[in-house]
Amino acid sequence: MTRKWKDSRGFTLVETLCAVAILVMLGLLINTGLHLAMRSYRDLTAQSELELLATSLTNALSDELRYAQRVETEAGNKLVRYHSERYNMENTGATTVIGTKEEDRQLYANDYRILPSGAYGNRTYIIPEEDGDGEPGFQITYQEGLFTVDLTVKQAEGELSTKAHFTVRCLNPQTTP
């Protein structure tokens, strides 16, 4: 009996199958963990880029609206147009309209982009027509020398979004009814 014990070498089939099953389960756990970590990383990166885009748009709009002249509004104090030294190259009294274009959902002043298209992640991020609450994705109101801007930026293909709400005092408050 002791002789058989010393002569046996290697693993039995059952031991080998158990070892393979344990290694497969460990591999699946590691794969799942890596997949979750990568998805979390992509979501955090996308959220950071959305917030950076919203901050950049906020700064650009603040700089533009601060020096607006001859502001025109409609019912509900919604901004219709104004005169801008930056986007009206000729001093002929032309007006500026800020809004999005349907083809790319980026922010424009007349036909000029407020930010370059690369800032939107090559169409990864957009300004939606409506945010998730049924409110406009972009809206400017003007009352008594104060612009109020509501801005939503979201992923074109995804669920992430960020909102910005800010006010800008106009340094040249000339209003046209």
Side-chain angles (χ1 to χ4, degrees), residues 6-50:
K6 288 182 181 178
D7 287 341
S8 65
R9 296 193 178 166
F11 297 105
T12 65
L13 181 61
V14 172
E15 290 171 335
T16 305
L17 289 176
C18 287
V20 168
I22 289 170
L23 288 174
V24 166
M25 289 187 347
L26 283 174
L28 288 173
L29 286 173
I30 290 172
N31 185 31
T32 304
L34 286 174
H35 178 71
L36 290 173
M38 290 299 294
R39 191 168 81 191
S40 176
Y41 171 77
R42 283 192 297 271
D43 287 349
L44 286 173
T45 302
Q47 189 65 41
S48 295
E49 288 175 351
L50 280 169

Side-chain angles (χ1 to χ4, degrees), residues 1-8:
M1 181 87 147
T2 56
R3 187 169 190 104
K4 274 189 173 182
W5 183 258
K6 288 182 181 178
D7 287 341
S8 65

Side-chain angles (χ1 to χ4, degrees), residues 19-137:
V20 168
I22 289 170
L23 288 174
V24 166
M25 289 187 347
L26 283 174
L28 288 173
L29 286 173
I30 290 172
N31 185 31
T32 304
L34 286 174
H35 178 71
L36 290 173
M38 290 299 294
R39 191 168 81 191
S40 176
Y41 171 77
R42 283 192 297 271
D43 287 349
L44 286 173
T45 302
Q47 189 65 41
S48 295
E49 288 175 351
L50 280 169
E51 290 174 9
L52 180 63
L53 176 57
T55 300
S56 298
L57 285 169
T58 299
N59 291 336
L61 283 171
S62 295
D63 290 344
E64 175 62 18
L65 295 174
R66 186 170 291 118
Y67 300 104
Q69 299 174 354
R70 298 189 295 278
V71 178
E72 295 180 32
T73 60
E74 63 182 19
N77 297 321
K78 184 178 176 189
L79 178 67
V80 175
R81 66 182 63 87
Y82 64 95
H83 177 75
S84 166
E85 293 297 327
R86 180 181 296 166
Y87 293 107
N88 301 118
M89 300 305 175
E90 306 158 6
N91 200 5
T92 60
T95 58
T96 301
V97 177
I98 292 184
T100 59
K101 289 191 176 180
E102 196 60 42
E103 64 266 11
D104 60 7
R105 303 302 304 166
Q106 296 177 8
L107 201 57
Y108 287 82
N110 290 343
D111 288 328
Y112 303 101
R113 283 190 174 96
I114 300 281
L115 293 178
S117 62
Y120 294 87
N122 296 321
R123 298 188 183 189
T124 303
Y125 309 111
I126 60 169
I127 299 171
E129 287 186 45
E130 289 186 353
D131 64 4
D133 302 328
E135 297 292 323

